Amino acid sequence: ATRNDVHGAIQYPIYATSAYEFDTAEDIEGAFKNTRPAFAYSRSGNPTVDFFETRVKNITGAQHVVAFASGMAATTAAVMCLCQAGDNIVLSPKMFGNTVMLFADTLRSMGVEVRLADFTRPQTVLEQIDHRTRMIFFEVLNNPFLEIVDLDQLSSLTAATNVVLCADTTLTPPNVFDAARWGIHISIMSSTKYISDGGVSVGGLVIDHGTFEWTAVPALSALAQQQGKNAFAFKLRKEILRNTGGCLSPFNAFLQSLGLETLSLRFQRMTDNALQLAHWLEKHPAVKQVNYPALPHSPYYRLCQQYMNEKAGGLLTFELESQKHCFAVMNRLKLIKRATNISDNRSLIIHPFSTIYADFPPELLKEINLSEGLLRLSVGIEEVEDLIEDLSQALQA
Ligand code: PLP
């Protein structure tokens, strides 16, 4: 259970403090040597952040949860925990753009090799794995492509390889998706999205489901002799978080704890709105195609039923004739906001090709096959009739 406030405050307070006072020199020594569990400095631990992490742990049934300053910081930390120079990662190129660039630019320049695979064909993932592969990384429901990975196939094909199945589950939050059940060892989430209370703060989570044998990972094998199942989380918090400093602020942890309380309500409302909009957009003559996995004819419908109980969330994409047409429609919108980010309470629209993927090198652009006529709509919790009215006037002109 999560801890209660000393005064019984219903909302767990924000501990706006950098440091913590100790009664004796021996106590502070004990905190540093891990012989006396205590908060010592908020870069490596803070009660409000701990409260948030514990709540996520309770909801997911995970073994360990460590919060970070952003989703990107969480991904970076997980890689640093598992990989050394000379190791490689099998990556889906069809992911959120900055994630791909983190691997393709930043981590590659530090000696971690990136091997791309087509995760809609799990056999191609297996083909890339060798004795230096430490991680398989993909988004379960990917942004903005809205493909769902066949996790049964992927996990059974890769089970014998001893490689960590690490999934970004940002678009499949724990209220609808049980990552451990489908064979994922480590989940990464941008808590900026569904978890934060409607788009008010940035944060990230690394979730260890407690299902991987860490002795198989060279970067963790010595630690696993002492720490066993806790080795990954121990290194993540005590070394990576502490040495790199990408900690979640207590204020954002507070907001995101509040967000967890309304997660399933907001998610359901966004899902209901998005499904109605997807059906409406499909019938519109200006729309060439709608991608939404809860549409019965979507190629991902069966997996959406199996993994998410058909609750696909608030993200959909639709295709128009050209970039010019997309810009014209965006510029006519009155209620839907032109903004990046997803799963805000307000509906947000963006043209991925000219924004998130603008910096993509041509070889990666070719891999992802992103249409210049694609618009990404993150559907909020407004009245769906108002959203239809806005899209209708914007598409009509
Ligand atoms: N993962 C996914 C699926 C995302 O959509 C994003 C951001 O849009 C991120 C990770 C990065 O998260 P953050 O913006 O919190 O760093």
Side-chain angles (χ1 to χ4, degrees):
T2 43
R3 72 179 70 217
N4 293 319
D5 172 51
V6 284
H7 302 293
I10 295 289
Q11 293 297 351
Y12 194 74
I14 303 171
Y15 278 82
T17 184
S18 312
Y20 305 80
E21 187 183 5
F22 290 81
D23 289 336
T24 66
E26 288 76 13
D27 284 346
I28 195 165
E29 180 193 32
F32 272 73
K33 290 187 170 167
N34 298 315
T35 54
R36 179 187 182 277
F39 297 105
Y41 190 61
S42 284
R43 177 167 14 89
S44 39
N46 170 282
T48 317
V49 176
D50 178 69
F51 177 83
F52 174 54
E53 291 169 338
T54 307
R55 274 204 159 170
V56 174
K57 201 173 132 189
N58 293 345
I59 291 170
T60 54
Q63 181 130 345
H64 295 283
V65 175
V66 182
F68 287 87
S70 66
M72 293 312 304
T75 302
T76 307
V79 176
M80 288 182 135
C81 210
L82 294 172
C83 298
Q84 296 164 325
D87 289 342
N88 67 69
I89 289 171
V90 184
L91 184 79
S92 169
K94 288 189 163 183
M95 298 181 83
F96 169 60
N98 284 135
T99 303
V100 178
M101 294 316 288
L102 164 70
F103 285 89
D105 271 357
T106 316
L107 292 169
R108 186 174 273 163
S109 70
M110 300 176 113
V112 176
E113 187 196 339
V114 179
R115 300 178 172 187
L116 301 178
D118 174 1
F119 279 66
T120 62
R121 295 187 297 132
Q123 184 62 35
T124 66
V125 177
L126 190 63
E127 285 160 9
Q128 296 285 14
I129 294 176
D130 68 10
H131 68 291
R132 294 299 303 263
T133 307
R134 302 291 170 237
M135 231 175 135
I136 297 167
F137 195 48
F138 60 100
E139 291 168 12
V140 172
L141 168 60
N142 58 1
N143 169 21
F145 310 93
L146 301 172
E147 300 164 344
I148 300 177
V149 173
D150 188 327
L151 297 167
D152 292 323
Q153 259 194 54
L154 183 66
S155 62
S156 60
L157 272 176
T158 58
T161 61
N162 257 337
V163 177
V164 181
L165 215 54
C166 185
D168 181 323
T169 58
T170 300
L171 264 53
T172 49
N175 56 306
V176 288
F177 177 71
D178 181 356
R181 178 173 169 204
W182 303 110
I184 292 163
H185 304 118
I186 298 289
S187 302
I188 309 282
M189 295 192 79
S190 164
S191 50
T192 314
K193 315 297 179 198
Y194 286 114
I195 290 177
S196 96
D197 207 3
V200 292
S201 60
V202 175
L205 293 162
V206 178
I207 302 173
D208 176 356
H209 298 288
T211 50
F212 199 82
E213 194 50 65
W214 298 117
T215 44
V217 179
L220 290 170
S221 54
L223 194 59
Q225 304 299 328
Q226 312 145 21
Q227 294 288 335
K229 285 263 185 242
N230 304 324
F232 174 81
F234 187 90
K235 178 174 173 183
L236 190 66
R237 189 183 295 282
K238 303 283 177 196
E239 180 193 320
I240 310 292
L241 176 63
R242 208 170 145 196
N243 290 356
T244 61
C247 57
L248 184 66
S249 83
F251 186 64
N252 285 355
F254 172 81
L255 294 172
Q256 295 183 15
S257 298
L258 285 184
L260 284 174
E261 293 178 4
T262 56
L263 170 63
S264 59
L265 284 174
R266 288 180 289 108
F267 190 89
Q268 184 65 54
R269 171 76 172 196
M270 289 172 185
T271 297
D272 293 344
N273 280 355
L275 185 61
Q276 283 198 57
L277 278 178
H279 282 301
W280 182 86
L281 283 164
E282 274 198 314
K283 294 194 201 96
H284 199 285
V287 175
K288 283 168 65 183
Q289 191 178 324
V290 179
N291 302 304
Y292 188 63
L295 287 173
H297 57 76
S298 157
Y300 303 101
Y301 181 63
R302 181 186 64 80
L303 296 174
C304 182
Q305 280 181 310
Q306 188 181 354
Y307 301 141
M308 305 171 70
N309 196 20
E310 267 183 69
K311 295 184 188 186
L315 200 66
L316 63 85
T317 62
F318 57 100
E319 205 166 333
L320 303 178
E321 207 50 57
S322 63
Q323 171 165 329
K324 197 170 153 217
H325 197 177
C326 290
F327 277 29
V329 168
M330 282 179 74
N331 289 337
R332 282 194 289 264
L333 289 166
K334 294 176 180 151
L335 175 65
I336 298 169
K337 295 183 186 307
R338 291 162 290 274
T340 191
N341 201 18
I342 55 179
S343 58
D344 194 297
N345 288 338
R346 299 145 206 83
S347 295
L348 311 177
I349 197 162
I350 198 163
H351 178 250
F353 191 87
S354 63
T355 55
I356 298 166
Y357 296 90
D359 294 340
F360 251 44
E363 68 277 11
L364 277 175
L365 266 183
K366 205 168 142 224
E367 291 277 346
I368 64 172
N369 195 24
L370 181 72
S371 163
E372 288 183 43
L374 194 79
L375 284 173
R376 184 187 77 181
L377 179 61
S378 170
V379 182
I381 61 171
E382 302 96 333
E383 296 296 332
V384 73
E385 293 76 19
D386 295 341
L387 296 172
I388 289 176
E389 194 184 314
D390 197 23
L391 279 168
S392 179
Q393 61 83 20
L395 283 163
Q396 225 161 40

